[in-house]
Amino acid sequence: MEARTPRPGSPVRGSSSGRPVMAALDLLGRRWTLRILWELSQAPAGFRELQRRCERMSSSVLSTRLGELTGARVLTLRGDAYHLTRLGEDLVEALSPLNAWSRRWAEEMDTGPAGDGES
């Protein structure tokens, strides 16, 4: 079965409801998707440059993910480079609080034994 680009209003992995948030989580949960978004948020890149930046990603997986992200209107190909669309830029911005939380989490995990966080 060929993977399709998740779309709001259509059943997706983990949900038959088609709710937009479930479609977005399906798209973002695919292997390498977040890394591709991160790399393109730093600077546009062509296929080979993006593959180099993403270490060890096979060309077939990269091609599939780029197709999905382009189909989801998060990326666009202009000339010979992939760019985030305005929707893609908004997505990266929306992920910013998760990035901040993950840094706090990493610091907390480095501080010692697990606890409830209360003194």
Side-chain angles (χ1 to χ4, degrees), residues 2 6 11 13 24 32 35 48 52 57-58 67-68 72-73 96:
E2 185 177 316
R13 287 183 308 159
W32 292 101
R35 177 66 183 269
R48 292 285 174 220
R52 184 191 67 74
M57 187 188 325
S58 73
E68 291 168 350
R73 300 181 184 166
S96 183

Side-chain angles (χ1 to χ4, degrees), residues 33-85:
T33 295
L34 289 172
R35 177 66 183 269
I36 291 167
L37 291 172
W38 169 258
E39 293 298 336
L40 293 175
S41 74
Q42 304 306 298
F47 187 92
R48 292 285 174 220
E49 172 62 14
L50 192 54
Q51 187 177 32
R52 184 191 67 74
R53 288 193 215 166
C54 289
E55 313 149 14
R56 302 181 310 275
M57 187 188 325
S58 73
S59 58
S60 62
V61 170
L62 179 56
S63 181
T64 298
R65 292 300 168 262
L66 290 172
E68 291 168 350
L69 291 167
T70 300
R73 300 181 184 166
V74 174
L75 303 181
T76 188
L77 180 60
R78 283 187 291 198
D80 61 353
Y82 287 91
H83 297 255
L84 294 174
T85 62

